[in-house]
Every structure is written in structure tokens, then in C-alpha cells.
Amino acid sequence: MFENGQYAIDYDDFERKVADGVTMLILCNPHNPVGRVWTKKNHLGEICMRHHVLVISDEAHGDFVYKENKHTPFARVSKEFSENSITCTAPSKPFNIAGLQMANVIIPNDSIRKTFTHALNTLYLGSSNTFGFLAAETAYQYGEEWLDELIDYIHGNLEYLTNFIDTELSPIKVIHPEGTYLA
């Protein structure tokens, strides 16, 4: 839902929907395409635990958050949430290496991890490519300064876009993202 100039979660509606037999939630954090950085103040975790809903948290944009915001991975909110989640991250979004097809899947719960690994191996998807692995390692090890500069640059583009739309295309409004490079 949209309230007070930003997207929000209608927790009552969400709980009604998951109570009707939902078994899995895919959470995009930061959200793509609205750019919302969900905070750990949300109630999603408690609702999912209450209704036995596994959370797959897509956090591929987690490294791309504007300085006034803080990304908190879903699994870091609590030990219980960590054990009821699968976290997906990737260097593809922040470091622009999507073509190398490298991602990370973090599954703290042994039982869920074994099920996931079995499914990957059954489908022959359990291996990664060397170039993707090396690019990810290099990006994470040496790319922090570059990423900080990129975020500042994209934020400048966002400000330019906002000014242009405010002055030239009124009444259209830009909803300021808290993370990601999308507006």
C-alpha cells in the first residue's frame, strides 16, 4: 500500500493472506522496483513464524542503499527468523556483473539447507562458474570504494531526475527510493 509518500506493508491484510495456507514468502529487501528498505521494525517475521511461512529474502540490492538508510538482512533480525529463512544475495546488482551468473544462498537451518542442496543437485544446478566466483570475490574484497562512489553518483542522478520532474512535469512526482538504482 502507499501511505505518507512511501510504500508500506499492510500487515493485517498480509496476515489474512498467509493464514489461508501460504507456505512461503519471497521478500525483496531492498524492494525492487519501489526502492523501499524494509526495517527490522516490521512484523513480517512474527507473522511468518506464527503461520509457519518460510521466508526467502531476496537481498540482491542489499549493498546498494543510500547513506541515510540502513539495510538490515531479514535473517539478522533474530535467531528464530534466521532459522526460518533463506537469504539470497548477489554481487550482480551493486557491481554490475549479472552476466557472470553468480549468487549466494545462505541457509542457516540444516534441514532446509539439505533439502535445498538436494534439489540443486537433482537438477544439476549445484556448481558455479569460475569467472563468476572470481568476479564476486574481487568485487567484495576490493570494490567498497567504487561502490560508495557509484551510490553517490546514482544519488546525484536521482536528485537531477527529481528536480526535472518537479519543475517540468508537475504534477508527476518521484517517489524517492531508499535503496537500489531504480526510481
Side-chain angles (χ1 to χ4, degrees):
M1 70 183 175
F2 190 73
E3 66 182 19
N4 302 323
Q6 65 183 12
Y7 287 94
I9 297 168
D10 181 337
Y11 294 107
D12 293 332
D13 182 56
F14 177 73
E15 184 150 22
R16 280 190 300 274
K17 288 177 176 163
V18 299
D20 194 27
V22 171
T23 58
M24 185 181 299
L25 166 71
I26 300 175
L27 172 67
C28 193
N29 180 35
H31 193 276
N32 174 6
V34 303
R36 185 68 200 268
V37 176
W38 305 115
T39 66
K40 69 179 190 175
K41 297 174 188 167
N42 72 58
H43 303 292
L44 282 175
E46 286 99 9
I47 293 169
C48 289
M49 294 296 293
R50 199 166 33 250
H51 296 282
H52 309 287
V53 174
L54 176 67
V55 177
I56 298 178
S57 190
D58 172 357
E59 303 193 18
H61 284 102
D63 292 318
F64 201 110
V65 174
Y66 296 111
K67 289 183 171 78
E68 59 273 11
N69 301 289
K70 183 177 185 319
H71 171 252
T72 301
F74 178 81
R76 299 272 321 259
V77 174
S78 76
K79 176 75 171 156
E80 293 78 21
F81 293 178
S82 175
E83 287 293 316
N84 188 51
S85 68
I86 297 172
T87 301
C88 304
T89 68
S92 57
K93 304 296 186 194
F95 297 103
N96 195 26
I97 55 175
L100 296 177
Q101 302 175 348
M102 182 65 191
N104 310 297
V105 180
I106 303 153
I107 308 172
N109 182 299
D110 288 336
S111 176
I112 297 170
R113 186 179 339 99
K114 286 176 186 171
T115 301
F116 180 84
T117 302
H118 177 73
L120 278 183
N121 291 334
T122 299
L123 298 170
Y124 302 100
L125 298 172
S127 61
S128 60
N129 75 70
T130 303
F131 294 117
F133 179 80
L134 291 173
E137 180 181 41
T138 302
Y140 289 139
Q141 191 168 1
Y142 302 108
E144 184 176 3
E145 182 179 344
W146 178 86
L147 182 59
D148 288 343
E149 290 175 11
L150 174 69
I151 292 171
D152 288 343
Y153 184 84
I154 299 294
H155 193 263
N157 287 346
L158 176 63
E159 293 302 315
Y160 178 83
L161 172 73
T162 301
N163 283 338
F164 177 81
I165 289 177
D166 285 349
T167 59
E168 303 294 329
L169 300 175
S170 183
I172 297 173
K173 299 285 182 207
V174 174
I175 299 166
H176 277 266
E178 299 166 336
T180 83
Y181 45 78
L182 304 166

